[in-house]
Amino acid sequence: MQDNAASQQARRHVETMYAQDACAQQMGMHIEHIDIGFARLSMKIMPDMLNGHQSCHGGILFSLADTAFAYACNSEGLAAVASRGSIDFIRPAWVGDQLTASASVLHQGKNNGLYNVEIINQNGKVVALFRGHSHRINSPMLDKEQ
């Protein structure tokens, strides 16, 4: 991944999306790195994210993975939505854990894309693996270039 004009453009597209993403902001997700077809986000597990077993709720993990996926598949500036997503929970996350979700493109066609997301904890251990399918809705992310 290199810091060129296309990479900077990808970051601008995602930052515009993040500015309007109340859910990601409320959950404490932070953008770590963006490139074309790639997004890395981080988030700390807070007490209000725990389930009845006192581990991170699976829906929280899905939301983190889904958000990284969304940013990766919208990084080219063409609006895309999820058409399908699935997650495998590998190990629990606990309160205070710092999670990192890295989403990367496997295939991006004219309209449909396939992306993998890996969530790891602060020790580099895999917490969950997510696969997302995207569909472009034929509209640009930004109304005009800034």
Side-chain angles (χ1 to χ4, degrees):
M1 291 175 238
Q2 47 189 319
D3 191 19
N4 58 31
S7 295
Q8 291 172 6
Q9 184 77 351
R11 183 160 182 93
R12 199 169 99 231
H13 291 304
V14 171
E15 286 174 346
T16 298
M17 193 172 175
Y18 179 79
Q20 298 174 18
D21 191 341
C23 182
Q25 293 175 36
Q26 182 64 33
M27 291 178 71
M29 294 180 200
H30 300 283
I31 297 171
E32 300 294 329
H33 186 77
I34 299 296
D35 208 330
I36 299 165
F38 180 85
R40 185 171 53 242
L41 306 179
S42 65
M43 180 179 77
K44 185 175 182 178
I45 301 304
M46 306 303 289
D48 62 351
M49 297 174 171
L50 302 181
N51 62 25
H53 296 292
Q54 295 301 291
S55 62
C56 182
H57 192 287
I60 300 294
L61 297 173
F62 191 98
S63 293
L64 175 60
D66 185 51
T67 302
F69 160 56
Y71 293 174
C73 68
N74 281 279
S75 63
E76 291 185 50
L78 299 172
V81 296
S83 62
R84 184 170 64 226
S86 64
I87 193 164
D88 292 301
F89 302 111
I90 307 301
R91 67 174 33 86
W94 308 103
V95 70
D97 279 356
Q98 183 70 31
L99 302 182
T100 302
S102 298
S104 56
V105 63
L106 293 173
H107 168 76
Q108 181 59 64
K110 181 179 177 186
N111 293 314
N112 299 306
L114 180 61
Y115 293 76
N116 276 343
V117 183
E118 179 183 64
I119 300 176
I120 61 170
N121 64 20
Q122 67 277 3
N123 299 316
K125 300 287 187 180
V126 176
V127 172
L129 299 170
F130 175 97
R131 176 159 284 183
H133 299 256
S134 66
H135 180 76
R136 288 186 171 163
I137 56 175
N138 296 321
S139 66
M141 289 289 298
L142 304 173
D143 291 327
K144 62 179 183 174
E145 295 302 314
Q146 299 173 336

